[in-house]
Amino acid sequence: MKKIFLFLLCAFFLFSCSQENIDQLSESENYNARKSENIYVCTADFYEGNDFPSNQKAAILKTKKWEDESIITIKFLNGSPSLEDKVMKYVLEWGKLINLEFRKNPRGNADIKVAFKWNGDKTSWSYHGIDSKTILQDQPSMNFGWLDESTSEEEFRRVVLHEFGHALGLVHEHLHPINNIQWNKDVVYAYYAQQGWNKATVDRNIFNKFTTTQTNYSTYDKYSIMHYDIPSSHTLNNYSVGINNVLSQKDIEFISQQYPIKTAKNALFYGKDHIKVGESRTSENGVYSLTLENTGDLILRKNNNTILWSIETGYNDVTAVSISIVRFQINLDFKLSSISRPLSVPLYIGDRISYDSSLNLRIENNGNLVLDTGNKIIWKSNTDGK
């Protein structure tokens, strides 16, 4: 029997589109610092004729979606290590919601090629979804035109989340088919004329919504990270949209639906799930069970009899157990009624784990207790075949 004694292990604190032609199925984010607000604006989600694929849902291009459970590799063509770290930090806000894995690949080929102010380009843009893979390895599929070491965290986060939204296949929310924005067109034309846009360009990028026959769509979301900010002067009814710096609740729900994380049929824990004292979870074949005993011990049994593996807490006021991640460590957290902080037993210490929402603790039909992310096994109890 494998046994872990808590008093030894626990710790209390323990697009690119061609920029010459924005009519292509791609996205270029030319920006202009607003004289009064110093805000960068985003352009070009225009699809002409039959170029726009039918049967899309809301703001995602179905034909540009990544295959489920893909590993998406990222490399940086320039920029400092600190800039790279910042990008990866915010990319994982998307990554923990979906069944895709973002992996930095500093050497060799990569799916997404990231650049900062490439050849002096002060625009920010990204290819949509799997189009990123078609770009030559020495050319960017995504460019950050105004992000540097002096950029505020808020702005850095906003731009990275937005561009990687495009890299996942998302398009601009203001083109949603049922947004019902009552544009003050004369004001909008005059405003974007300062950016060098003629009326046709404004029509394509601001006013020409997707139709309901072109799209399957979810609810319009003014708080989406993919939405332009809209000053009230740009609408007839003073409608406005603020600067969205974080993923909205609908962003989270929508992207999770597009790239759903698959839960194993015999999952014990999933995300922030927990087992209460007295509860058991069993393997799919019913032979093996994991129980949080009234004594506070977590025990893996075969045929409700033979103990294969256990954690003995030494506390009789344990109420539940769940999984948590602290940097490079995955813990089983035992909640006690007498202590505010959980007692934590490390299951795994190693590489940084990013996909906390997809962590899965399960019992295989051979009796092995396994912790995985849906794509990768992180830890095993090595009790298989017992």
Side-chain angles (χ1 to χ4, degrees):
M1 178 188 74
K2 297 214 169 196
K3 182 182 291 187
I4 300 175
F5 292 95
L6 188 60
F7 62 85
L8 292 176
L9 292 175
C10 75
F12 284 85
F13 305 100
L14 295 171
F15 68 131
S16 157
C17 50
S18 164
Q19 292 192 11
E20 294 79 18
N21 183 4
I22 64 172
D23 294 351
Q24 296 176 357
L25 186 60
S26 53
E27 189 269 351
S28 172
E29 292 185 5
N30 303 317
Y31 77 96
N32 181 48
R34 290 182 175 169
K35 294 179 180 178
S36 60
E37 298 171 299
N38 195 33
I39 301 300
Y40 302 112
V41 294
C42 186
T43 67
D45 267 324
F46 174 63
Y47 306 91
E48 191 167 25
N50 295 321
D51 289 342
F52 187 86
S54 60
N55 295 323
Q56 307 309 312
K57 184 168 183 180
I60 196 164
L61 298 171
K62 186 176 180 181
T63 59
K64 306 302 177 184
K65 285 179 63 179
W66 299 84
E67 184 177 349
D68 280 350
E69 301 184 0
S70 293
I71 295 174
I72 302 174
T73 52
I74 302 169
K75 73 175 179 180
F76 293 84
L77 301 178
N78 61 6
S80 68
S82 63
L83 288 176
E84 294 182 12
D85 289 345
K86 275 190 177 183
V87 170
M88 295 305 299
K89 171 184 175 182
Y90 293 123
V91 167
L92 295 179
E93 292 192 26
W94 284 118
K96 68 182 182 181
L97 301 171
I98 57 181
N99 63 35
L100 309 176
E101 180 181 348
F102 290 110
R103 184 178 297 175
K104 187 176 175 182
N105 183 31
R107 299 178 181 85
N109 294 343
D111 299 315
I112 296 176
K113 284 72 69 176
V114 178
F116 297 89
K117 302 178 184 176
W118 186 252
N119 292 334
D121 183 359
K122 294 184 179 180
T123 68
S124 290
W125 45 265
S126 174
Y127 280 81
H128 282 106
I130 58 174
D131 281 352
S132 302
K133 299 169 68 174
T134 68
I135 306 308
L136 296 175
Q137 290 297 315
D138 61 351
Q139 297 296 313
S141 64
M142 179 183 297
N143 186 61
F144 294 118
W146 60 84
L147 300 187
D148 55 32
E149 304 287 357
S150 66
T151 305
S152 70
E153 286 295 320
E154 187 176 61
E155 175 68 357
F156 207 105
R157 180 185 197 180
R158 179 184 77 84
V159 176
V160 171
L161 288 175
H162 184 96
E163 297 306 338
F164 271 88
H166 288 313
L168 289 171
L170 299 176
V171 295
H172 288 134
E173 188 71 10
H174 72 279
L175 299 177
H176 193 287
I178 57 171
N179 70 46
N180 200 31
I181 298 172
Q182 299 177 36
W183 295 102
N184 187 337
K185 291 190 174 184
D186 289 340
V187 171
V188 175
Y189 285 136
Y191 175 79
Y192 284 104
Q194 301 174 60
Q195 189 166 292
W197 292 9
N198 58 29
K199 287 187 176 182
T201 302
V202 174
D203 288 341
R204 289 195 299 268
N205 292 287
I206 306 295
F207 302 143
N208 292 348
K209 300 186 296 183
F210 301 142
T211 69
T212 56
T213 58
Q214 290 174 315
T215 60
N216 291 329
Y217 52 89
S218 60
T219 308
Y220 164 72
D221 179 18
K222 70 177 292 186
Y223 302 106
S224 172
I225 194 68
M226 305 309 296
H227 208 306
Y228 273 42
D229 65 290
I230 301 174
S232 59
S233 61
H234 287 198
T235 63
L236 297 174
N237 58 352
N238 290 321
Y239 178 77
S240 63
V241 175
I243 303 169
N244 298 329
N245 298 311
V246 298
L247 301 180
S248 71
Q249 186 58 40
K250 290 179 182 176
D251 285 334
I252 293 170
E253 293 171 358
F254 184 74
I255 202 66
S256 299
Q257 293 166 2
Q258 299 307 305
Y259 297 106
I261 297 170
K262 297 175 177 61
T263 309
K265 292 180 180 179
N266 53 345
L268 304 174
F269 299 110
Y270 179 65
K272 300 189 182 301
D273 193 12
H274 61 272
I275 296 177
K276 295 180 181 179
V277 67
E279 289 184 344
S280 296
R281 306 290 172 89
T282 61
S283 59
E284 193 172 5
N285 61 10
V287 175
Y288 302 93
S289 63
L290 186 73
T291 305
L292 182 59
E293 303 283 342
N294 292 325
T295 59
D297 301 335
L298 188 66
I299 299 177
L300 176 67
R301 288 187 174 90
K302 181 178 181 180
N303 294 323
N304 294 320
N305 185 15
T306 306
I307 296 176
L308 302 180
W309 180 91
S310 70
I311 294 176
E312 298 181 0
T313 68
Y315 292 87
N316 59 10
D317 63 338
V318 173
T319 60
V321 61
S322 59
I323 295 176
S324 70
I325 298 176
V326 180
R327 293 176 64 81
F328 302 93
Q329 182 168 307
I330 300 175
N331 299 321
L332 281 175
D333 290 339
F334 291 84
K335 184 178 180 182
L336 280 67
S337 58
S338 59
I339 303 175
S340 58
R341 292 179 179 271
L343 299 174
S344 299
V345 178
L347 281 184
Y348 171 86
I349 302 174
D351 299 330
R352 182 186 291 272
I353 304 299
S354 306
Y355 304 99
D356 54 303
S357 63
S358 65
L359 273 177
N360 213 12
L361 184 64
R362 56 190 171 84
I363 307 174
E364 294 181 333
N365 284 334
N366 62 3
N368 205 17
L369 197 61
V370 174
L371 182 71
D372 65 34
T373 63
N375 298 321
K376 178 181 178 182
I377 293 177
I378 300 300
W379 172 87
K380 284 186 177 183
S381 63
N382 294 320
T383 52
D384 52 302
K386 303 294 190 298

